[in-house]
Amino acid sequence: MLAGSCYALRPISFRKFHSQAFHAQGLHNCGRGRFSLHYQLPGSRVVPWSLKPWVERERERERERLPTDRGSLNNLTASAYYDKNDRDPAIELEGFPSELPSLSAAQLVCIPHSTMALPLEGRAESGEVEAWLWGQIQAEARRDAESEPALASYLYSTILSHSSLERSLSFHLGNKLCSSTLLSTLLYDLFLNAFSSDASLRAAVVADLRAARVRDPACVSFSHCLLNYKGFLACQAHRVAHKLWNQQRRPLALALHSRISDVFSVDIHPAARIGKGILFDHATGVVIGETAVIGNNCSILHHVTLGGTGKVGGDRHPKVGDGVLIGAGATILGNVKIGDGAKIGAGSVVLIDVPPRTTAVGNPARLVGGKEKPAKNEDVPGESMDHTSFISEWSDYII
Amino acid sequence: MLAGSCYALRPISFRKFHSQAFHAQGLHNCGRGRFSLHYQLPGSRVVPWSLKPWVERERERERERLPTDRGSLNNLTASAYYDKNDRDPAIELEGFPSELPSLSAAQLVCIPHSTMALPLEGRAESGEVEAWLWGQIQAEARRDAESEPALASYLYSTILSHSSLERSLSFHLGNKLCSSTLLSTLLYDLFLNAFSSDASLRAAVVADLRAARVRDPACVSFSHCLLNYKGFLACQAHRVAHKLWNQQRRPLALALHSRISDVFSVDIHPAARIGKGILFDHATGVVIGETAVIGNNCSILHHVTLGGTGKVGGDRHPKVGDGVLIGAGATILGNVKIGDGAKIGAGSVVLIDVPPRTTAVGNPARLVGGKEKPAKNEDVPGESMDHTSFISEWSDYII
Amino acid sequence: MLAGSCYALRPISFRKFHSQAFHAQGLHNCGRGRFSLHYQLPGSRVVPWSLKPWVERERERERERLPTDRGSLNNLTASAYYDKNDRDPAIELEGFPSELPSLSAAQLVCIPHSTMALPLEGRAESGEVEAWLWGQIQAEARRDAESEPALASYLYSTILSHSSLERSLSFHLGNKLCSSTLLSTLLYDLFLNAFSSDASLRAAVVADLRAARVRDPACVSFSHCLLNYKGFLACQAHRVAHKLWNQQRRPLALALHSRISDVFSVDIHPAARIGKGILFDHATGVVIGETAVIGNNCSILHHVTLGGTGKVGGDRHPKVGDGVLIGAGATILGNVKIGDGAKIGAGSVVLIDVPPRTTAVGNPARLVGGKEKPAKNEDVPGESMDHTSFISEWSDYII
């Protein structure tokens, strides 16, 4: 699998209304937390289809004991690329088959977000995953090029003219990171060679694309992330720099590091080790030091520092576990451990270990619930992206 | 009017000394707060003329019961482009008529900063305002090109060769934001088309130029802001991206968004709604999310985040009222309201509503004066730019 | 001297082991604090040789009463460009003479870091220092070009093709900061003219290169800093802008300022006065206002703001003394004094004077040890880079 294990998928029933709008049933059986619906015609590819905004609105109503409005799903048709009030995150219906043969012959599958994978378990050989994702990206680019002629040339050169995801990404990174003395052709070859020869790099690309798509409500398509997310691009370029570093090609790794910091304002030392399924959201100002380690499925906001203390050479930067969420502007200094599933509030200054599944907030940071019996996070913060639910527990935080 | 209503202007008397230096009288009648003097020959255009440094120095002396020195205004002559001690903000006397016919025939008008407009009320049809401002900018560029041959070519291509402010701005933005795959000609057409067809975009350009010129003591001229202020440039490019977003040209809006974030390190989602008269000072690292709203006449420093909480899709970002000042590095998360005239201290972390005209500081932020009876700001923080006067009231802040 | 006064150098004895590995003795006599060993063959140039990682490990062991292992120095041979565990900062042995004639004929000199100079006192006419450093940089570039053909062309154009450090730096800055309207040739001439005509600018370049090399464990060579450190490059470009500002070439200074802010995300007003031996580590997001002053031998991390209060024009920004360390994300506002040898913790918000040799932390910042009897820093924070040793004294900071 791409990232973590995948739950057994539970088919749910649905009921067609008119046209391509329909009403899904069985959502109550999906368990706690956020999830996505996937649409699958028998024998065909699985198409991700986010019902998140609708479902969350419904659950909010349930909590407040208001009448729920499952019929509102009728409003979500294949043509509703963005929702009607023009403010909510996009409802992605791309790839929805236009000649919907018989909805009762199709299957809607519900996948909790914390374990969602693209595509589904059982068919996840990495080559197939990449091919599926690349097909999606090309379809998105074709759609955008058709609807926006001003972008057609741009989309052709960055996506549509390429035969694979790694070629597209290498071309795009080469163009972004080149300078008058560090040519784009050199960088293109460098990236392509790294991605082509290393399946784990490609798997990380896929996992990171998925992380942005699933966790960031503002991420409207995979191609949006591929082309526009500086955090995603900086992270992939870093992965290549890290590979060069480990191959003892350090001057080249450092030159790449410098370009990434100049172009994206994301400063990750090439020796830093970063897991898969990482979302660097917004990403401007992120600084990650030489001996830092980041686990899998973490979400790290902009202006976050994983810094050294400067006192001692050697191993001197934070070690961040799996599923950690680090809020905007948090500063974590020294060789400290941030446990699996921990959450660091925005603007916090952390200088000491944070136990697994706890939340640290403030300057200096303290554990929500106190150090004796800290509150334990129920979900995976790096995936749920819940930045503020600790407010009610944060001492006397009321203004 | 450009921004807010404009007070009735009170003519004040003045007394000529030698040459073009003179002494203004009647400043006591100008009311509280900062203000600017404008020089107006009968029947001619109004020329803004900042006495701010002098006036503030005098008021400081008054508060401390020292003898005031109104005669020091003699030092401000038309040739004193920068003041004599080489450290104060520039005294802008550009456009001051060289053939000053008779000072007693002229009129000095005093306009409180919080309502200042360029030019004055009653003659503010938007076309005339733009024409006046464009004339100023070209005059500044001619002066600079003459005094600095190394910049002549640069100023010619960016300002002097253009027939209007929107052409100059479109050219400059196109050059700044282009890449090898997103051509400057495409961007130029895009910007020019947007500015040419939308008077409200042009009015926002004028209001933002004025905001920088009036509020930032380091802003020495309109052309300085137009050419060099990444916050100004990012904001204007955002306004175009926002227009594209509303025209359902979203892939293009997002591509522009990405370039703005790369080039200026200013990350404003194209769906965010931003008022007029906005100063993004320094601007590096500003992050503003999809459903954020910012009112008019706000000043927002660098590294400010108006972020989501990640918990819920839909409307999830802060709503900032009019006249708000947000200090450097402040982080505001969630769909919270920052009331009109509120002030957020530098480095604050704000997760809950801040009432109008109050000041929130700290991590987590609290209201100065307490939540029961918070202190009320007397001036408009977004325009007075007073970042630190709350110190004496901020609990036991003494180091 | 390059930066501050230089201690009398104490020769220490050493004992050869096998090959080029040897054991230094007499380290106990070097005084407190960090220091570097320099290797000097009689009559030849001095070669800097960092023992820092080893010495610190040994001192750590001493503190913990573990047996020290001076023999571990054996592991540091001329071929150990990076240390064996692949994680520690590089042990730089470049330039170490391969035909080591007789170690007992050579001399090891020990120079405390806080006063270290390159090369040693007594031979430090600035021309010789620059020549030595330029020789080092070219040797490093040759080594890297040989080991990494992909970088050969880049290193040739940026370093190896140039006849002096100022030509190389001017070329590199011109390339980094140019745009389609501000040509690299113009900028090259501008930089070269400034560096060539002003020995103090060149001395600052040398002092800043040394500062990065000595204080930043991740800085593996002088050429690494010269080519890749945006903080170093932004600072040198600022020094030229500052010179232009003082020559009344202010529009040009401001244009340069703007480019530096765009390209490096480092925003230093050209009027700000900055001493020598400055390390801007990571540097992204640094903002330094018009009337700010920074002394010598300071270390300033990324996202640091030396800002105005906006209330008053004129002198309105912080005054930072010598040897100050300012941690990541610290915000210092207003015309306040940060005394010599003071330390500002990461994420602190400082609005009031900080006395010399004290440490201020938190939001709002307070003095470690209390305002009556604040703890006094023993070392020079700007050079020791100790960001976190105050933790145990910081009230009840335990999470």
Side-chain angles (χ1 to χ4, degrees):
Chain A
M1 282 315 303
L2 300 181
S5 61
C6 186
Y7 285 2
L9 303 170
R10 279 164 292 190
I12 63 168
S13 65
F14 64 93
R15 180 156 56 88
K16 186 173 180 182
F17 283 83
H18 49 81
S19 168
Q20 292 175 358
F22 51 83
H23 182 148
Q25 295 180 316
L27 297 180
H28 293 303
N29 303 324
C30 295
R32 289 177 54 83
R34 300 192 303 170
F35 53 88
S36 284
L37 287 189
H38 286 237
Y39 176 70
Q40 184 177 35
L41 288 179
S44 72
R45 285 205 175 116
V46 169
V47 180
W49 179 43
S50 175
L51 285 180
K52 191 174 55 181
W54 176 80
V55 170
E56 284 173 339
R57 197 184 324 128
E58 291 305 292
R59 300 215 150 178
E60 185 69 33
R61 295 177 72 85
E62 278 186 348
R63 271 195 298 277
E64 299 177 1
R65 299 181 190 284
L66 295 170
T68 56
D69 178 26
R70 293 222 150 58
S72 69
L73 193 54
N74 293 331
N75 296 324
L76 307 180
T77 71
S79 61
Y81 180 49
Y82 294 95
D83 74 348
K84 62 180 173 168
N85 71 12
D86 207 2
R87 302 294 309 284
D88 279 345
I91 304 298
E92 176 69 40
L93 292 174
E94 295 315 306
F96 203 83
S98 58
E99 72 292 14
L100 206 61
S102 161
L103 269 169
S104 62
Q107 215 174 6
L108 273 178
V109 290
C110 167
I111 314 177
H113 266 202
S114 60
T115 54
M116 196 172 85
L118 296 171
L120 302 179
E121 195 176 26
R123 13 167 66 214
E125 292 82 51
S126 121
E128 189 179 355
V129 176
E130 289 167 49
W132 176 85
L133 190 58
W134 179 237
Q136 285 290 111
I137 289 170
Q138 287 217 315
E140 294 166 359
R142 269 191 299 272
R143 175 200 66 200
D144 291 347
E146 280 168 21
S147 74
E148 179 60 78
L151 278 182
S153 163
Y154 171 69
L155 291 167
Y156 182 79
S157 67
T158 53
I159 292 181
L160 295 171
S161 68
H162 298 284
S163 59
S164 68
L165 177 53
E166 61 255 36
R167 284 180 186 274
S168 167
L169 178 57
S170 300
F171 174 85
H172 197 48
L173 286 176
N175 265 332
K176 288 262 191 187
L177 298 173
C178 71
S179 72
S180 61
T181 48
L182 206 57
L183 301 184
S184 63
T185 48
L186 168 73
L187 294 177
Y188 174 75
D189 288 344
L190 193 67
F191 287 121
L192 185 55
N193 185 50
F195 288 123
S196 299
S197 65
D198 190 337
S200 74
L201 283 184
R202 295 197 303 276
V205 169
V206 171
D208 292 354
L209 280 170
R210 174 192 157 279
R213 188 75 183 78
V214 169
R215 295 178 212 158
D216 182 359
C219 183
V220 296
S221 66
F222 293 111
S223 61
H224 176 31
C225 177
L226 173 66
L227 293 176
N228 297 331
Y229 272 43
K230 72 201 304 196
F232 170 78
L233 294 169
C235 187
Q236 308 321 310
H238 161 76
R239 296 188 193 283
V240 173
H242 183 61
K243 187 180 173 75
L244 294 169
W245 181 267
N246 287 337
Q247 291 170 335
Q248 308 300 322
R249 299 177 71 179
R250 293 179 177 182
L252 187 54
L254 292 169
L256 203 48
H257 169 211
S258 167
R259 285 303 295 161
I260 299 166
S261 178
D262 283 0
V263 171
F264 297 123
S265 292
V266 174
D267 182 343
I268 309 177
H269 193 284
R273 290 182 291 162
I274 298 185
K276 293 175 187 173
I278 305 298
L279 171 62
F280 286 109
D281 202 4
H282 304 295
T284 302
V286 162
V287 172
I288 297 175
E290 183 178 5
T291 61
V293 177
I294 298 174
N296 295 315
N297 301 317
C298 292
S299 293
I300 295 178
L301 275 281
H302 52 287
H303 299 161
V304 162
T305 296
L306 305 181
T309 65
K311 279 164 67 176
V312 185
D315 197 358
R316 64 196 183 278
H317 295 98
K319 308 293 175 280
V320 176
D322 294 335
V324 171
L325 171 64
I326 307 181
T331 302
I332 308 177
L333 298 182
N335 188 1
V336 299
K337 282 195 174 57
I338 310 300
D340 293 346
K343 189 192 305 186
I344 311 295
S348 302
V349 175
V350 175
L351 307 173
I352 300 181
D353 288 357
V354 174
R357 300 173 67 77
T358 64
T359 297
V361 291
N363 176 2
R366 288 183 176 78
L367 293 186
V368 169
K371 63 177 173 173
E372 300 302 331
K373 288 194 175 182
K376 290 287 187 175
N377 302 322
E378 281 186 22
D379 60 359
V380 180
E383 302 187 359
S384 67
M385 304 289 286
D386 173 0
H387 288 279
T388 55
S389 67
F390 53 81
I391 294 178
S392 60
E393 308 174 55
W394 190 3
S395 62
D396 55 345
Y397 184 87
I398 298 178
I399 61 173
Chain B
M1 282 313 304
L2 299 182
S5 60
C6 186
Y7 286 3
L9 303 171
R10 280 165 292 192
I12 62 167
S13 65
F14 65 92
R15 181 157 54 88
K16 186 175 182 182
F17 282 83
H18 49 81
S19 166
Q20 290 176 0
F22 51 83
H23 182 149
Q25 294 180 317
L27 297 181
H28 293 304
N29 304 323
C30 295
R32 289 179 55 81
R34 301 193 302 170
F35 52 87
S36 284
L37 286 189
H38 285 237
Y39 175 71
Q40 184 175 36
L41 289 179
S44 72
R45 284 201 176 120
V46 169
V47 179
W49 179 42
S50 174
L51 286 180
K52 189 174 57 182
W54 177 78
V55 170
E56 284 175 340
R57 198 184 324 128
E58 291 305 291
R59 303 217 148 176
E60 185 71 33
R61 295 177 72 86
E62 278 185 348
R63 271 196 297 278
E64 299 177 1
R65 301 178 188 283
L66 296 171
T68 55
D69 178 27
R70 293 221 150 58
S72 69
L73 192 54
N74 293 332
N75 295 325
L76 305 182
T77 71
S79 61
Y81 179 51
Y82 293 95
D83 74 349
K84 62 179 175 172
N85 70 12
D86 207 1
R87 303 293 309 283
D88 279 345
I91 305 298
E92 176 68 39
L93 293 175
E94 295 316 304
F96 203 82
S98 57
E99 72 292 14
L100 206 61
S102 160
L103 269 170
S104 61
Q107 218 175 2
L108 274 177
V109 291
C110 169
I111 312 175
H113 266 202
S114 61
T115 55
M116 197 173 83
L118 295 173
L120 302 179
E121 195 177 24
R123 13 167 66 216
E125 292 82 51
S126 118
E128 189 179 355
V129 177
E130 288 168 49
W132 176 84
L133 190 59
W134 178 236
Q136 284 292 109
I137 289 170
Q138 287 218 315
E140 295 165 1
R142 270 191 298 273
R143 175 199 67 200
D144 289 348
E146 281 168 22
S147 74
E148 179 61 79
L151 278 182
S153 164
Y154 171 69
L155 291 167
Y156 181 80
S157 67
T158 52
I159 292 180
L160 295 171
S161 68
H162 298 285
S163 59
S164 67
L165 178 53
E166 61 256 36
R167 284 179 185 275
S168 167
L169 179 58
S170 299
F171 175 85
H172 197 48
L173 285 176
N175 265 331
K176 288 262 190 188
L177 297 174
C178 71
S179 71
S180 62
T181 48
L182 207 56
L183 301 185
S184 62
T185 48
L186 168 74
L187 294 176
Y188 174 76
D189 288 344
L190 193 67
F191 287 121
L192 185 56
N193 185 50
F195 288 122
S196 299
S197 65
D198 189 337
S200 74
L201 283 184
R202 294 197 304 276
V205 169
V206 171
D208 292 354
L209 281 170
R210 174 192 157 279
R213 188 73 184 79
V214 168
R215 294 177 213 158
D216 182 0
C219 183
V220 295
S221 66
F222 292 112
S223 61
H224 175 33
C225 177
L226 173 66
L227 293 175
N228 297 330
Y229 272 41
K230 73 200 307 194
F232 170 78
L233 294 169
C235 187
Q236 308 321 311
H238 161 76
R239 294 187 194 283
V240 174
H242 183 62
K243 187 181 173 74
L244 294 169
W245 182 267
N246 287 337
Q247 291 170 335
Q248 308 299 321
R249 300 177 70 179
R250 293 179 176 181
L252 186 55
L254 292 169
L256 203 49
H257 169 212
S258 167
R259 285 302 296 160
I260 299 167
S261 178
D262 284 1
V263 170
F264 297 123
S265 293
V266 174
D267 182 342
I268 308 177
H269 193 283
R273 290 182 291 160
I274 298 185
K276 295 176 186 174
I278 305 297
L279 170 62
F280 285 110
D281 203 3
H282 304 294
T284 303
V286 162
V287 172
I288 297 175
E290 182 178 5
T291 62
V293 177
I294 298 174
N296 295 316
N297 300 317
C298 292
S299 293
I300 294 178
L301 275 281
H302 51 288
H303 299 161
V304 162
T305 295
L306 305 181
T309 65
K311 278 165 66 178
V312 184
D315 197 357
R316 64 196 184 279
H317 295 98
K319 308 294 176 280
V320 176
D322 293 335
V324 171
L325 170 64
I326 308 180
T331 302
I332 308 177
L333 298 182
N335 188 0
V336 299
K337 281 195 174 57
I338 310 300
D340 293 346
K343 190 192 304 187
I344 310 296
S348 303
V349 175
V350 175
L351 306 173
I352 299 182
D353 288 357
V354 174
R357 299 173 67 78
T358 62
T359 297
V361 292
N363 175 1
R366 287 184 177 79
L367 293 185
V368 170
K371 65 177 173 173
E372 299 300 332
K373 288 194 174 182
K376 288 286 186 174
N377 302 323
E378 283 186 21
D379 59 359
V380 180
E383 303 188 358
S384 66
M385 302 291 284
D386 172 359
H387 287 278
T388 54
S389 67
F390 52 81
I391 294 178
S392 60
E393 308 174 55
W394 190 3
S395 63
D396 56 343
Y397 183 87
I398 299 177
I399 59 173
Chain C
M1 281 314 305
L2 299 182
S5 61
C6 185
Y7 285 2
L9 303 169
R10 280 166 293 191
I12 62 166
S13 65
F14 65 91
R15 182 156 54 88
K16 186 174 181 181
F17 282 82
H18 49 82
S19 167
Q20 291 176 359
F22 52 93
H23 182 149
Q25 294 181 317
L27 296 181
H28 292 304
N29 303 324
C30 295
R32 290 179 53 82
R34 299 193 303 169
F35 53 86
S36 284
L37 286 189
H38 286 237
Y39 175 71
Q40 183 176 37
L41 288 180
S44 73
R45 285 203 175 119
V46 169
V47 180
W49 180 42
S50 174
L51 286 180
K52 191 174 55 181
W54 177 78
V55 169
E56 284 175 340
R57 198 184 325 127
E58 291 304 291
R59 301 216 149 177
E60 185 71 34
R61 295 176 71 85
E62 278 186 348
R63 271 196 296 279
E64 298 178 4
R65 299 179 192 284
L66 295 171
T68 56
D69 178 25
R70 294 221 150 59
S72 69
L73 193 55
N74 293 332
N75 295 325
L76 307 180
T77 72
S79 61
Y81 180 52
Y82 294 95
D83 74 348
K84 62 181 173 168
N85 71 11
D86 207 4
R87 304 295 307 282
D88 280 343
I91 305 298
E92 176 69 41
L93 293 175
E94 295 315 305
F96 203 83
S98 59
E99 73 292 16
L100 206 61
S102 160
L103 269 170
S104 61
Q107 218 176 3
L108 271 177
V109 290
C110 169
I111 313 176
H113 265 203
S114 62
T115 55
M116 196 173 83
L118 295 173
L120 302 178
E121 194 178 25
R123 13 168 65 216
E125 292 83 50
S126 113
E128 189 179 354
V129 177
E130 288 169 49
W132 175 84
L133 190 59
W134 178 238
Q136 285 290 111
I137 289 169
Q138 288 217 315
E140 294 166 1
R142 270 192 298 274
R143 175 199 66 201
D144 290 348
E146 281 168 21
S147 75
E148 179 60 77
L151 277 182
S153 163
Y154 172 69
L155 291 167
Y156 181 80
S157 67
T158 52
I159 292 180
L160 295 171
S161 68
H162 297 285
S163 59
S164 67
L165 177 53
E166 62 255 37
R167 284 181 185 275
S168 167
L169 179 57
S170 299
F171 175 85
H172 197 49
L173 286 176
N175 265 332
K176 288 262 191 186
L177 297 174
C178 70
S179 72
S180 61
T181 48
L182 206 57
L183 301 184
S184 63
T185 49
L186 169 73
L187 293 176
Y188 174 76
D189 288 345
L190 193 67
F191 287 121
L192 185 55
N193 185 50
F195 288 123
S196 299
S197 65
D198 189 336
S200 73
L201 283 183
R202 295 198 302 275
V205 169
V206 172
D208 292 353
L209 280 169
R210 173 192 158 278
R213 189 72 184 79
V214 168
R215 295 178 213 158
D216 182 358
C219 183
V220 296
S221 66
F222 291 112
S223 61
H224 175 33
C225 177
L226 173 66
L227 293 176
N228 297 332
Y229 272 43
K230 71 200 307 195
F232 170 78
L233 294 169
C235 187
Q236 308 322 310
H238 161 76
R239 295 186 194 284
V240 173
H242 182 62
K243 186 180 173 74
L244 294 168
W245 182 266
N246 287 337
Q247 292 170 334
Q248 309 300 322
R249 299 176 71 180
R250 293 180 176 180
L252 187 55
L254 292 169
L256 202 49
H257 170 210
S258 168
R259 285 303 296 161
I260 298 167
S261 178
D262 283 1
V263 171
F264 297 123
S265 292
V266 173
D267 182 342
I268 309 177
H269 193 283
R273 290 181 292 162
I274 298 184
K276 295 175 184 172
I278 305 299
L279 170 61
F280 285 110
D281 203 3
H282 304 294
T284 301
V286 162
V287 172
I288 297 175
E290 183 177 4
T291 61
V293 177
I294 298 174
N296 296 314
N297 301 316
C298 292
S299 293
I300 295 177
L301 274 280
H302 52 287
H303 300 162
V304 163
T305 296
L306 305 182
T309 64
K311 279 166 66 177
V312 185
D315 196 359
R316 63 196 183 281
H317 294 98
K319 308 293 175 281
V320 176
D322 294 334
V324 170
L325 171 65
I326 307 181
T331 302
I332 308 177
L333 298 182
N335 188 1
V336 299
K337 282 194 173 58
I338 310 299
D340 294 344
K343 190 192 305 187
I344 311 296
S348 303
V349 175
V350 176
L351 306 173
I352 299 183
D353 289 356
V354 174
R357 300 173 66 76
T358 62
T359 297
V361 292
N363 175 2
R366 289 184 175 76
L367 293 185
V368 169
K371 64 177 173 172
E372 300 300 332
K373 287 194 174 181
K376 289 287 186 174
N377 302 324
E378 283 186 21
D379 60 359
V380 180
E383 302 188 358
S384 67
M385 304 289 286
D386 172 359
H387 287 278
T388 54
S389 68
F390 53 80
I391 294 178
S392 60
E393 309 174 54
W394 190 4
S395 64
D396 55 343
Y397 182 87
I398 298 177
I399 60 173

